[in-house]
Each structure stands twice: as C-alpha cells, then as structure tokens.
Amino acid sequence: MTIESPNPRKLTLYVAGQTPKSLTAIANLKKITEEHMPGQYEIEVIDLRENPKLAKEHSIVAIPTLVRSLPVPIRKIIGDLSDVEKVLVNLKVQGE
C-alpha cells in the first residue's frame, strides 16, 4: 500500500481465500503496480470468504476482480491479472 502521488489510484482486489488464482492475482497486481505505477497507488485486498456480503454490496460477480475506484470512472478487471497490457489499458496507466 503505497501513496506518494497527489492523485493516487485506489485499487481494490476482491479474492476468495488463498486459492492459486487469488494468490496469482495478488502477486501480479503487486508486480504491475511496482513496475508501472510506483508511488501512485493504494491497494486494498478484500477476502470475500471473510465477509461475503461485500460481494453483493460492491457488485462483484466473479473473483478475482480488481476495481479501480480512483480516479473515476470506476473500472473493473476480472481475472488473475496475468495479461499485463490488458490491465494497464483498463487502468489507463498511460495517458492520464
């Protein structure tokens, strides 16, 4: 969880326990943010097994799901985040 930018990106990764797909998504998100957004992000990982009602409250229909809530508009990426280019395009890392 890093914030140094005046306009940080807030990223929330929804996972379900310590499954291989969840662990891969967490590792991929950490690598992507460290390599492409150093000091510009805040990450929160939410385990829906610990608090399943958050899935409905936050409209999460698949896991893992990454939600960029800042800057707006909200963007969601479903999957283990192994396609780095897709993640960067969806997070609009370049051009903002």
Side-chain angles (χ1 to χ4, degrees), residues 14-27:
Y14 294 89
V15 297
Q18 299 291 311
T19 65
K21 207 164 194 173
S22 295
L23 295 175
T24 300
I26 292 168

Side-chain angles (χ1 to χ4, degrees), residues 43-87:
I43 296 174
E44 180 179 13
V45 177
I46 295 178
D47 187 344
L48 293 176
R49 284 191 179 173
E50 294 175 2
N51 200 345
K53 70 178 185 180
L54 288 177
K56 186 173 183 179
E57 289 176 13
H58 297 175
S59 302
I60 303 301
V61 295
I63 47 175
T65 296
L66 176 65
V67 177
R68 184 195 80 175
S69 54
L70 287 176
V72 290
I74 293 173
R75 294 187 168 268
K76 292 182 179 178
I77 303 170
I78 296 171
D80 65 7
L81 310 176
S82 59
D83 186 339
V84 175
E85 289 302 316
K86 177 182 169 186
V87 173

Side-chain angles (χ1 to χ4, degrees), residues 5-48:
S5 170
N7 299 311
R9 287 176 173 81
K10 182 170 182 185
L11 306 172
T12 305
L13 180 63
Y14 294 89
V15 297
Q18 299 291 311
T19 65
K21 207 164 194 173
S22 295
L23 295 175
T24 300
I26 292 168
N28 285 336
L29 179 59
K30 184 176 179 181
K31 182 177 179 187
I32 290 168
T33 53
E34 288 176 354
E35 290 180 4
H36 299 279
M37 300 179 276
Q40 302 174 13
Y41 59 89
E42 175 185 341
I43 296 174
E44 180 179 13
V45 177
I46 295 178
D47 187 344
L48 293 176

